[in-house]
Amino acid sequence: VIIWLAGNEKENILKKIKNINIDELDENKISKILNSINSHFGIIVYTNKLFFAGVDCARTYPIFWTQSKKKIFISPQANIISNLLSSKINEKQLVAFQMSGYTIGQGTLWEDINNINSGSFLLVKNNTKPIINRYFLYDPWIVKEKSYLNLKKLLKLEILNVLKNII
């Protein structure tokens, strides 16, 4: 097993990864693991049977990838992959970037090079087609009906968790 990890609380993240059978990972298990990480990260895990890469909900440590001739190329910088494969400029993404300063969706300035969006991961299992899955979605518009006392308890727990993390 080869693990590349960027971010905070590396020891805690590695403990979570090491406590599981990596060869038996599936989309649901990866989602649960990544959702349980309460810090900024970018992670790549490689074994003979599977490969996955994920980023936190803010995409603090971006990961770019492409598939070429049954090989996956991955890097924290898209231009490294672009230089390696002599990629062409994606004209549609270039226009979007010139107008807004951002590309759209998983796209980058280069054709066939994608990024892993915030709160998402890439999974390739047994040399199958790559799967991109979202494990986190910020959804503030869903109203949850709870009593004032329940909300007060939840707020207290969240404040205590924040203070524990700061300490």
Side-chain angles (χ1 to χ4, degrees):
V1 176
I2 300 171
I3 300 173
W4 289 281
L5 179 61
N8 306 332
E9 300 183 28
K10 291 180 185 175
E11 298 82 24
N12 292 335
I13 296 171
L14 287 173
K15 281 180 192 175
K16 291 178 184 195
I17 298 292
K18 289 181 179 180
N19 288 335
I20 56 167
N21 185 348
I22 291 181
D23 288 334
E24 294 179 3
L25 282 178
D26 61 14
E27 295 168 58
N28 292 330
K29 290 178 184 175
I30 293 171
S31 290
K32 286 180 184 176
I33 291 166
L34 297 179
N35 254 323
S36 71
I37 300 172
N38 194 20
S39 65
H40 299 291
F41 67 89
I43 187 168
I44 301 170
V45 176
Y46 172 82
T47 72
N48 291 335
K49 294 183 181 180
L50 72 81
F51 161 84
F52 85 85
V55 295
D56 62 22
C57 60
R59 202 173 142 244
T60 309
Y61 299 93
I63 298 176
F64 300 92
W65 70 281
T66 190
Q67 184 174 18
S68 175
K69 298 178 185 176
K70 294 191 176 184
K71 289 184 181 180
I72 299 265
F73 294 88
I74 194 154
S75 174
Q77 297 178 6
N79 64 332
I80 291 175
I81 299 172
S82 169
N83 292 339
L84 188 65
L85 300 176
S86 301
S87 299
K88 296 179 182 176
I89 295 292
N90 184 328
E91 295 297 329
K92 291 181 181 178
Q93 292 288 4
L94 179 61
V95 170
F97 181 77
Q98 289 172 330
M99 294 177 71
S100 67
Y102 298 95
T103 57
I104 298 170
Q106 294 178 29
T108 64
L109 291 174
W110 296 275
E111 288 184 11
D112 301 324
I113 298 178
N114 302 300
N115 77 74
I116 300 175
N117 284 341
S118 58
S120 299
F121 64 89
L122 166 73
L123 172 64
V124 180
K125 200 167 185 179
N126 297 321
N127 295 322
T128 58
K129 184 179 176 184
I131 298 168
I132 293 281
N133 224 350
R134 180 176 285 286
Y135 70 89
F136 176 85
L137 179 63
Y138 179 63
D139 205 3
W141 46 86
I142 294 178
V143 177
K144 296 179 182 177
E145 295 292 329
K146 294 188 180 185
S147 71
Y148 175 78
L149 290 176
N150 282 344
L151 290 171
K152 190 174 175 182
K153 286 179 189 176
L154 288 173
L155 179 60
K156 182 179 177 181
L157 288 174
E158 283 300 316
I159 291 171
L160 288 174
N161 284 334
V162 167
L163 291 174
K164 283 179 188 176
N165 284 338
I166 289 172
I167 291 170

